[in-house]
Amino acid sequence: LLRFGISLRHALDQNIGSTSGGVGIALDALCGLPLTQKIISIEVQNDVRDLQKHERPAERMKSLEHYVRNALMPSGVFGDVSRWRDNLRFVMWLRREYFLAKHREDVVQALSFLPGLKSKSLDARKPVPMHELTRAFRLSGWTRRYTPQSETEALASLTQTLGGTMMNIPHSSVSVPQLDPGTPIDHLPLGDTIELGSGHVANCGSFNLYCEVIGIYEVWTREYIEALSSYLLERSKELDGSTVIVEVGAGDGLLSYFLNECLQRKGKESTNDVIAKFK
């Protein structure tokens, strides 16, 4: 079903042209992709349900490969990747299933150590000390310095190993692999295949899975809240009277909530009245 859905979706793309937005969603449904993806997700989960925790990652990955490998690479060559790499909804599902197979048990363990991170109630949330976050999600090897090249280093290395080059898409910072369509890739592990399909799974870990499942991409640490509230309090001393801080594009308002708590505590030692609000 998945192989047929991918092939049909690719054929429709070739004949219709641009299929982004609502049109793309409708075509995915017409090709049966969402239903097939749901079935595979359930089957993979069922395959490892009765296993011990330490056995689940390897077996879950094996199960996922069993269901998707032939659909992703029916001919075992790079040309197969072009059939699905432009379908971002499918790639994101595939990426998430890969992360679940590889990192789900690590996330469960991390959230047992930091239960406040999975609570939706503001009252139950507290800023996380950086050392606890680092320990829970094993972030000690992560760098705090972002470089755009780091996103494509693994992909560029993989492409070079296969005899290809990277091509920059005009008017963007995106680079994609340029390989002969007949280049064999059936020997690659699933993660490398997803990487070639713009899934970006290299150098990602349990923290990436947590962010994507919860739907957030920042965690407010205790150190950050303390430093930011101290800065805001000092700036407020330059103004007369009360100070209102407005956070625009605040999402769930968690940053303002934490800041209010911290500013109220610190404000008891100050004559300034500082209130954080969010929109």
Side-chain angles (χ1 to χ4, degrees):
L1 285 176
L2 183 62
R3 181 175 174 177
F4 171 78
I6 290 174
S7 298
L8 179 58
R9 181 70 167 82
H10 178 62
L12 291 173
D13 277 343
Q14 297 295 103
N15 288 280
I16 296 177
S18 176
T19 57
S20 59
V23 174
I25 294 173
L27 289 179
D28 283 349
L30 177 66
C31 298
L33 286 176
L35 176 60
T36 305
Q37 291 166 202
K38 184 66 175 179
I39 293 172
I40 291 174
S41 297
I42 293 172
E43 287 300 314
V44 170
Q45 180 65 29
N46 288 339
D47 287 346
V48 299
R49 178 176 297 170
D50 298 326
L51 298 178
Q52 298 295 321
K53 288 184 179 180
H54 69 277
E55 299 176 318
R56 289 174 188 168
E59 291 302 316
R60 185 164 186 150
M61 187 67 72
K62 187 184 299 183
S63 175
L64 179 62
E65 289 214 32
H66 168 74
Y67 289 115
V68 305
R69 176 170 283 276
N70 288 337
L72 297 179
M73 299 179 291
S75 304
V77 296
F78 178 71
D80 293 333
V81 176
S82 64
R83 298 162 56 248
W84 50 267
R85 71 176 178 183
D86 293 329
N87 187 336
L88 297 183
R89 283 173 298 278
F90 174 75
V91 172
M92 290 305 295
W93 168 81
L94 182 61
R95 181 175 190 262
R96 178 168 170 169
E97 286 298 319
Y98 178 83
F99 281 162
L100 284 170
K102 192 171 184 179
H103 303 299
R104 183 183 183 278
E105 299 307 318
D106 290 336
V107 172
V108 171
Q109 183 177 353
L111 293 182
S112 68
F113 182 62
L114 298 172
L117 287 182
K118 60 182 177 181
S119 174
K120 295 184 178 180
S121 170
L122 289 179
D123 292 334
R125 302 288 291 274
K126 298 293 180 184
V128 181
M130 187 61 195
H131 73 275
E132 292 187 5
L133 187 70
T134 299
R135 174 186 167 192
F137 288 102
R138 303 175 186 177
L139 303 177
S140 58
W142 283 36
T143 177
R144 297 191 182 189
R145 179 176 296 178
Y146 169 76
T147 57
Q149 296 83 1
S150 63
E151 294 186 11
T152 57
E153 281 179 355
L155 178 57
S157 176
L158 174 61
T159 301
Q160 185 177 11
T161 300
L162 294 172
T165 59
M166 296 294 290
M167 181 189 73
N168 291 324
I169 296 179
H171 311 296
S172 78
S173 60
V174 179
S175 298
V176 295
Q178 288 288 100
L179 288 161
D180 185 281
T183 302
I185 61 170
D186 54 346
H187 63 287
L188 296 178
L190 181 60
D192 285 351
T193 304
I194 298 173
E195 195 75 23
L196 286 175
S198 304
H200 185 45
V201 297
N203 302 320
C204 295
S206 55
F207 186 67
N208 299 87
L209 175 59
Y210 164 76
C211 289
E212 294 189 16
V213 169
I214 301 297
I216 64 170
Y217 294 89
E218 69 275 315
V219 174
W220 306 116
T221 63
R222 180 186 297 171
E223 293 83 353
Y224 182 88
I225 297 299
E226 289 286 338
L228 181 56
S229 61
S230 294
Y231 167 77
L232 294 173
L233 195 58
E234 287 300 312
R235 290 285 286 119
S236 72
K237 293 178 181 179
E238 301 174 11
L239 306 172
D240 294 327
S242 299
T243 301
V244 176
I245 302 164
V246 179
E247 182 190 0
V248 179
D252 60 5
L254 193 58
L255 175 58
S256 289
Y257 180 80
F258 287 158
L259 284 175
N260 258 330
E261 285 191 328
C262 197
L263 288 169
Q264 287 174 13
R265 172 170 52 82
K266 293 184 177 184
K268 293 178 181 179
E269 305 170 3
S270 170
T271 58
N272 294 69
D273 182 16
V274 185
I275 301 174
K277 296 184 177 181
F278 60 89
K279 287 187 177 181

